[in-house]
Amino acid sequence: MTTGPRLTPGRPAIAADRAAARRMRQALTEELPKVREAALAWRNGLAGLFVGLLGFGLVKGRTDVGKLASPYDALVGGVLLLSLVCGAVGALYLLRAAHGMPVATPLTPEPGLSAAARYAGDHVEAGRALRAMRRGVVLTMACGALLVAGVAFTWYGPGTEKPQLLVKTPAGTECGEPRRTERGVVVLKTDTGERSVSLADATAVMAVETCPGTAQGG
């Protein structure tokens, strides 16, 4: 007659087995708090990074997205919106990792819940917190990269305004949109109308993004 597998008692636990069990229990006890502390440290570090990015964004440059030429204005708007979404979701993941889900704590322990079951529950929660922390870090870094890209496009993208020409002469300064040149004379379109300036009398000619003020004639 064929018999199935037989279960027999294992060898008695020795001192090394008991020490390994204690180390495992200690590791399971400290696992979730360590993950929470790591998530809190990442959250604070990334917050400091974004403070630095905010200071970088305050450097002088173009600030109005509406001054960008199409389709760069829509591109910057989409990049900034995506950056906002990534930052919000990343922050939620980091909060989830650092503090857990908002749940109520029961006043009485569940009947029949053993210490091994509690350790197993903490281990599962530590794994979830670790995954949330990784996702939060990736999304927050993506938010920062998208924010820098949006600022760069805003600063260096082509503008809608045409470059202006500023001409300085002994008689004064004229600034406006260049319309045409005729026999050494440049015609500028200014706020007060078209003005003709002789380039032979010019002491300085430079292209500017905007005119410094109302053109002054001689």
Side-chain angles (χ1 to χ4, degrees):
M1 183 176 65
T2 303
T3 59
R6 298 179 60 186
L7 300 178
T8 58
R11 62 175 175 80
I14 60 177
D17 296 330
R18 291 190 292 271
R22 284 194 296 269
R23 288 194 299 270
M24 178 60 69
R25 184 173 58 185
Q26 184 70 18
L28 290 174
T29 303
E30 299 175 352
E31 182 182 27
L32 184 56
K34 285 183 177 180
V35 173
R36 299 279 196 225
E37 291 175 3
L40 190 61
W42 272 101
R43 187 197 67 181
N44 295 338
L46 291 172
L49 174 63
F50 271 83
V51 170
L53 286 177
L54 180 61
F56 169 74
L58 294 177
V59 178
K60 185 174 178 59
R62 183 189 290 138
T63 57
D64 189 357
V65 179
K67 293 182 179 180
L68 286 173
S70 180
Y72 291 93
D73 53 351
L75 177 62
V76 170
V79 167
L80 293 179
L81 177 60
L82 187 58
S83 172
L84 177 63
V85 172
C86 288
V89 177
L92 290 177
Y93 271 124
L94 288 175
L95 288 174
R96 162 69 177 86
H99 305 289
M101 294 294 292
V103 294
T105 302
L107 295 178
T108 57
E110 299 180 13
L113 186 63
S114 63
R118 288 195 297 270
Y119 290 144
D122 288 346
H123 178 67
V124 172
E125 175 61 20
R128 292 172 179 169
L130 183 59
R131 288 190 294 271
M133 182 182 69
R134 289 172 177 170
R135 292 170 183 169
V137 169
V138 171
L139 287 172
T140 307
M141 296 298 290
C143 170
L146 289 170
L147 182 61
V148 172
V151 172
F153 274 117
T154 305
W155 284 1
Y156 302 112
T160 55
E161 298 180 355
K162 296 181 180 179
Q164 307 293 303
L165 190 66
L166 187 144
V167 182
K168 294 183 178 181
T169 64
T173 301
E174 297 288 352
C175 183
E177 179 185 345
R179 305 291 289 180
R180 61 187 180 276
T181 56
E182 299 173 346
R183 299 178 181 178
V185 176
V186 61
V187 179
L188 302 176
K189 180 181 178 182
T190 67
D191 294 337
T192 58
E194 291 190 350
R195 305 295 295 269
S196 299
V197 183
S198 174
L199 295 178
D201 299 332
T203 58
V205 178
M206 64 187 72
V208 294
E209 185 176 349
T210 58
C211 288
T214 305
Q216 298 176 355

